[in-house]
């Protein structure tokens, strides 16, 4: 994603969709993964889990290099990052 394209990104929509997907995760999943970070592809619901936000987002970007993700720490009410993006430099 080119930095100029960020003006076209609906961050509010990403946040709302990400929260909906996160809310649907089972209590068991949340209990087992408490403290982990997940990056959620809000278009298809795919979840990428890691020990740090940046790691989760990097996993997601590896598969979907042109997407924007909702990121959250599992089991905590405070969201560290609402949206994340990466720009591939070649």
């Amino acid at each position: 994603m080119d930095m100029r394209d960020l003006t076209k990104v609906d961050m509010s929509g990403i946040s709302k969709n990400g929260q909906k997907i996160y809310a649907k995760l089972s209590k068991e999943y949340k209990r087992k993964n408490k403290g982990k970070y997940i990056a959620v592809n809000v278009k298809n619901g795919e979840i990428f889990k890691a020990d740090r936000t940046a790691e989760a987002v990097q996993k997601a970007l590896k598969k979907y290099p042109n997407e924007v993700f909702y990121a959250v720490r599992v089991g905590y009410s405070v969201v560290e990052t609402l949206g994340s993006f990466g720009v591939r430099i070649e």
Side-chain angles (χ1 to χ4, degrees):
M1 173 176 287
D2 188 305
M3 291 295 285
R4 294 171 294 218
D5 293 338
L6 291 177
T7 59
K8 300 174 187 172
V9 173
D10 176 14
M11 294 305 280
S12 177
I14 289 168
S15 179
K16 287 178 186 174
N17 290 339
Q19 288 173 8
K20 285 179 187 176
I21 294 166
Y22 178 73
K24 290 179 183 178
L25 293 176
S26 70
K27 289 181 184 179
E28 181 69 10
Y29 179 92
K30 291 177 184 177
R31 186 186 63 73
K32 286 183 177 180
N33 294 289
K34 186 172 183 176
K36 297 285 186 181
Y37 292 88
I38 59 172
V40 180
N41 182 325
V42 297
K43 290 184 178 178
N44 65 18
E46 189 168 354
I47 294 173
F48 300 86
K49 180 177 65 172
D51 292 328
R52 295 186 200 126
T53 306
E55 292 171 3
V57 172
Q58 285 301 317
K59 286 181 181 181
L61 285 170
K62 187 173 183 178
K63 187 166 183 180
Y64 300 102
N66 297 312
E67 297 293 333
V68 179
F69 303 91
Y70 175 81
V72 64
R73 188 172 187 193
V74 178
Y76 290 82
S77 60
V78 177
V79 176
E80 180 186 64
T81 307
L82 288 177
S84 186
F85 65 92
V87 178
R88 187 176 298 237
I89 300 172
E90 297 181 24

